[in-house]
Structures are given as structure tokens and as C-alpha cells.
Amino acid sequence: MNDTAPSAILLEYTQDKIAVLDESGAYTYVNAAAERILGFDPDTLVGQNVFEYIHPEDCAEVQAQFESIVRTDEAFLADTATYRHRASDGSWVWLESRMSNLTDSELSGYVVSSRVVTDRVEAERDRRETRERLQELADTTDDVLWMFDGDWSELLFCNPAYEDVFGRPIEELESDPQSFLEAVYPPDRQVAEEAMERLSNGVQTDLVMRVNPSTDYNRWLWVQGEPIVRDGEVVRIAGFSRDVTDRRRRERQLLVIDNFLRHNVRNQLNVVIGNAAALEADLDGEREDRTAMIRRAGETLLETAEKQRDIVNVLTTMPQSTTTDVAATVRDAVAPLRDQYSDATIDTAASESVIVEGPGELSIAVAELVENGIRHARSDRPTVTVSVRTTADDVELSVTDEAPPIPEYDRRVLLGDHEMTAVNHSRGCGLWLVYWIVDLAGGSIDHTADESGNTVTISLRRAL
């Protein structure tokens, strides 16, 4: 080869490794890129057989490709091979080589152009391993994992759990992507179709519905879907469907026993309170005091019985994922309290409109904190302040009162730093209710106190 020719200069400066091999695979020429890519001085490779540098696991296939090109009778034949080539330090570098049977007397061999593809190969391997792990998970989970295109006209993925949960074959779903609606309990289909429309419009959605006619639609599912948006367009919709039949059954059982106990406890306590009040009116001195104590204890128990209904409702019906406006939450919380406690001042001037991740039941938690501050205040005309502070990611809703510091055992309930034995010492269910609502909303609670009163702060994530 003429070293002064422009073509020779270009070969030396190209980023790809350019080599010329004879029929046996021995190097007759290697350009300077070999040193940058593999660490070898090009002159040391000349005369060496390329197959001695190829990884043993790749060598046979690459050699077969090269030999088929060399021995072909076709006028032109080209092929591409991806393999590992040994570097000067003993490591392996992934190369993608283009070879053909075009030869030139000046080159005295076959030209092979190679470029490094290590990053691409490793990325493909990582993606393949990830897909395999996800497929293994999808094949073994009891949840139905699914993915459709943006308008529900094509099923992109569904795991085998679908057949057990919905009672229909996946092949049917593949041929008719919306056929799963036929397995939905007829009264629930409209809710499912409305959820599908919201997802196609880019709105994350969840719902509960009944499915599987073979079980008389006795399978309850919690379904959560997520739209995948690109350039403002919903291109795919992914989600899962979880069998919550046992949970729904327990919820119904809990509601039945709740209704039974609440009805009976309420009736009996009303009898106790009514008779205690009548006795109190006819007595005086120590007997009057003791009767008044019985009446107050009965009233407290009745209030607790009413409060536990709110707790049961929160634990059984509170949505897993939703959003609410903080200003509306505060407004709904304090409106009835202003009528009930006309001597109290509830300041909400600083409450601003901001959307947070959490359901409307957050107003119950705020109302509990405000009422707690009013009822335990040192003054007959107490002031409770509700304020809101926002950051880029979070919202802090604070309730400040003029009451004595919340007792330690109640404070531990409020902050979630408790064991169930704390129930025996807590003054009531209200702070448990606050804790559970905020916990289910994914938020957190902080409490500080000084001589002037308490400040309870609920921290919630801002909705995107």
C-alpha cells in the first residue's frame, strides 16, 4: 500500500478499526485505531491470526461467517458479526465488524471495518435481563398486569393471572382488546368505561369493580391505571388489577358488626345517660356528684361510639389515591364548628387554595384538631388558627390552639409512635382518627407545644 496516498492517510485517522485479512484470517494491515480501541500497536498485530484474539465463546460463529464469505461463488457477499476481541490488557472489547468478499490486489486481502459497541451490547443485555425478571414476576404474581395502546384498540401485554381472575382466555383479549368488559359485572361496566375514557385522556385513575361471571361476579378487583404520555399524547396505558375479594368481605363483616355494636351500645348508653340525668336532678351532695360522673362517663362513651364510626368508614372506604383542595378541606372542617362553638374564634385567613395528594376525608382530621383545641382551651373564648405553608413539593397545614400541651400518651398516638396498649390510656378516638387519615393519605404529622398552646402540622405531598 502506498503510505503517501490520501486513502492511506484517511485510514490512519478514521475512528473505526480497519483491518485487512488474508484467507486464513491473518492480519496483513491494521490502521492506527487498533491502538486506541484495543491497546495494540498495529505493527504487532500484522501476521497474527485474528481468531486467536476472539473470545472462545464467539470464535466459531465469527470464523464460520468469515469463511463463508471467502469461499462463496457469489459476486458480492457481505455480513456483520458482533463479538468480543481481546485487548492488550487482557480485557474484552465488544466489536461490530463489517466484512465482504470484495478484494483488491493492492490490499492483498479482505477488508474488515470494526467499531466498538460495548456500551450498546451491555445496555441490550441489561434490558434483556430486566425484561426476563419482569416477565418472571408477571408470570408468578396473582395481580393482573396489563398494557394497552392509547385508545384501547390493541393489547400490548397481559400476564397469565388474567385468565384466573377474569375467567376468560388471553387469546380472546388479544383478538378483541375490550372483551374484558364482558367479564365485568353489568352494573359496574359504565364505571369501567368511564375510567377507560379518563385514562385515554391522560388522567391517572383507580376504581373497584366486580368481575368473572363464572363466580357469579363474586371477584372484587382494585384496578389502577396510568397513562403513558409522549409529546402531549397518550401512547400507552399500563396498570394492574388486584383481587381484593377477601378485603371486601372483611370490610362488609366489619361494617355489620360495627352497625350491630353501635346500635346496641348507643341505645344502652342513652338509657344510662337518661336515668343518670333524672337521678342527678333529684339528688344533692355526694350522690349528685357521683350521678353526674356516671352521666359524663356515659356521654363520653357515646361520643367515642360515634367517633369509631368515622374510623371504620376511613379504614374501609377511604380511597387509596386521590387529590383534594386544601382551602376546601379547611372550609369543610370549620364551617360546622363555627356554628357549634359560637364563642370560639377560628382563624383561617391564611388558608390558601392548593391541591394535595389526599382524599376529602382530610377535612375530618382538621376538624378533630380544631375541636380538640377548642374543647381543651384554657379560656371560655378560645382562638384556634389554621394556616397553610407551601413549598415546591409539599404543603404544611398547621392547627394552633391555646390549650395545655397534649399529654404524652395522646401525643404518641397522634404521631404514630405508639403500640396498641396506648389505646388503654388515650382519652378518645379523635387523635387515632387524625393519625389514620393522614397516614392513609401518605402524609406525616408533627407536634410542638409551649406555654401558649399546641401546634399540630400535617404535611402532605403537592399533587402534580
Side-chain angles (χ1 to χ4, degrees):
M1 180 178 292
N2 183 359
D3 290 339
T4 62
S7 59
I9 297 174
L10 290 174
L11 284 174
E12 292 304 312
Y13 279 94
T14 183
Q15 295 296 301
D16 289 351
K17 169 177 170 281
I18 306 297
V20 179
L21 307 177
D22 65 15
E23 290 189 358
S24 69
Y27 285 112
T28 61
Y29 167 79
V30 185
N31 71 340
E35 185 168 7
R36 178 180 58 81
I37 293 174
L38 301 171
F40 289 110
D41 184 326
D43 291 339
T44 64
L45 291 176
V46 174
Q48 302 290 319
N49 192 287
V50 66
F51 300 114
E52 295 178 0
Y53 291 84
I54 295 179
H55 194 285
E57 295 178 4
D58 306 330
C59 186
E61 182 177 352
V62 178
Q63 189 168 7
Q65 288 179 271
F66 179 74
E67 290 177 352
S68 68
I69 286 175
V70 170
R71 297 172 182 174
T72 185
D73 294 329
E74 297 181 28
F76 174 75
L77 181 63
D79 202 356
T80 300
T82 303
Y83 58 93
R84 286 161 287 185
H85 192 293
R86 181 162 54 84
S88 62
D89 61 1
S91 63
W92 297 99
V93 177
W94 280 95
L95 298 181
E96 182 181 77
S97 296
R98 176 75 173 173
M99 60 189 91
S100 73
N101 62 345
L102 291 179
T103 59
D104 189 289
S105 58
E106 184 180 354
L107 298 176
S108 301
Y110 301 87
V111 178
V112 178
S113 174
S114 305
R115 64 181 57 191
V116 178
V117 292
T118 301
D119 290 344
R120 189 193 76 191
V121 170
E122 291 180 349
E124 289 175 350
R125 181 187 61 204
D126 291 342
R127 286 194 294 269
R128 182 174 63 253
E129 291 176 353
T130 299
R131 286 195 298 269
E132 290 173 352
R133 288 196 294 270
L134 289 174
Q135 186 64 54
E136 182 179 353
L137 173 63
D139 290 343
T140 56
T141 183
D142 293 330
D143 292 347
V144 182
L145 309 179
W146 44 265
M147 181 180 290
F148 293 83
D149 65 352
D151 61 0
W152 303 89
S153 62
E154 181 182 0
L155 175 70
L156 303 177
F157 175 79
C158 187
N159 65 327
Y162 171 82
E163 297 189 348
D164 176 61
V165 173
F166 283 78
R168 304 178 79 98
I170 291 180
E171 291 79 11
E172 181 182 83
L173 189 63
E174 291 172 339
S175 61
D176 182 4
Q178 296 191 26
S179 63
F180 70 89
L181 286 170
E182 299 173 12
V184 176
Y185 185 48
D188 294 344
R189 286 177 190 169
Q190 182 176 350
V191 175
E193 290 171 348
E194 291 172 352
M196 293 166 64
E197 184 176 358
R198 288 196 299 274
L199 287 164
S200 292
N201 291 331
V203 181
Q204 187 274 336
T205 301
D206 67 343
L207 70 152
V208 175
M209 64 184 186
R210 289 158 287 185
V211 299
N212 199 330
S214 66
T215 64
D216 198 23
Y217 299 104
N218 199 29
R219 301 288 288 269
W220 286 83
L221 292 187
W222 172 39
V223 184
Q224 186 168 28
E226 186 76 30
I228 299 173
V229 181
R230 288 183 181 170
D231 299 327
E233 180 182 356
V234 176
V235 294
R236 291 190 298 277
I237 299 169
F240 69 89
S241 303
R242 178 168 298 167
D243 189 330
V244 292
T245 305
D246 290 341
R247 189 186 76 187
R248 295 287 296 192
R249 185 179 296 115
R250 288 193 298 271
E251 288 173 357
R252 292 197 301 271
Q253 293 167 346
L254 180 59
L255 288 173
V256 169
I257 195 66
D258 168 64
N259 287 330
F260 172 78
L261 290 176
R262 182 168 174 266
H263 177 270
N264 285 274
V265 169
R266 191 171 168 186
N267 286 348
Q268 295 302 316
L269 281 174
N270 280 326
V271 172
V272 171
I273 293 169
N275 282 279
L279 287 172
E280 185 180 357
D282 295 335
L283 299 174
D284 55 18
E286 183 179 350
R287 291 183 179 182
E288 180 186 6
D289 293 340
R290 290 184 179 275
T291 304
M293 188 182 301
I294 294 172
R295 176 181 54 79
R296 288 193 297 270
E299 290 172 346
T300 300
L301 286 173
L302 184 59
E303 181 182 351
T304 299
E306 296 293 340
K307 199 79 68 179
Q308 62 84 29
R309 161 53 59 94
D310 291 333
I311 292 177
V312 170
N313 287 339
V314 164
L315 296 179
T316 58
T317 65
M318 185 167 164
Q320 296 294 316
S321 177
T322 187
T323 59
T324 192
D325 185 284
V326 169
T329 295
V330 174
R331 185 172 59 250
D332 293 343
V334 305
L337 296 178
R338 283 183 170 139
D339 294 334
Q340 184 178 354
Y341 300 99
S342 57
D343 291 336
T345 299
I346 305 175
D347 180 9
T348 61
S351 297
E352 60 181 280
S353 179
V354 58
I355 305 300
V356 297
E357 294 185 6
E361 283 82 356
L362 286 168
S363 64
I364 299 176
V366 176
E368 284 294 332
L369 295 174
V370 173
E371 186 173 19
N372 191 69
I374 294 173
R375 296 180 62 179
H376 295 94
R378 299 181 178 95
S379 168
D380 293 335
R381 304 183 68 84
T383 296
V384 177
T385 302
V386 183
S387 59
V388 176
R389 188 179 75 88
T390 62
T391 67
D393 300 318
D394 302 300
V395 174
E396 294 181 350
L397 192 157
S398 298
V399 177
T400 302
D401 61 38
E402 300 173 343
I406 297 174
E408 181 60 23
Y409 40 81
D410 284 323
R411 182 177 184 274
R412 290 169 67 85
V413 166
L414 182 63
L415 301 181
D417 181 21
H418 54 74
E419 297 180 358
M420 287 305 295
T421 52
V423 167
N424 300 326
H425 306 291
S426 182
R427 291 179 297 181
C429 296
L431 296 182
W432 287 92
L433 181 58
V434 173
Y435 166 73
W436 275 320
I437 290 175
V438 175
D439 183 58
L440 289 171
S444 61
I445 303 175
D446 185 43
H447 169 256
T448 59
D450 54 29
E451 295 180 356
S452 61
N454 302 273
T455 296
V456 177
T457 300
I458 298 174
S459 297
L460 300 163
R461 291 189 298 270
R462 294 190 69 163
L464 299 178

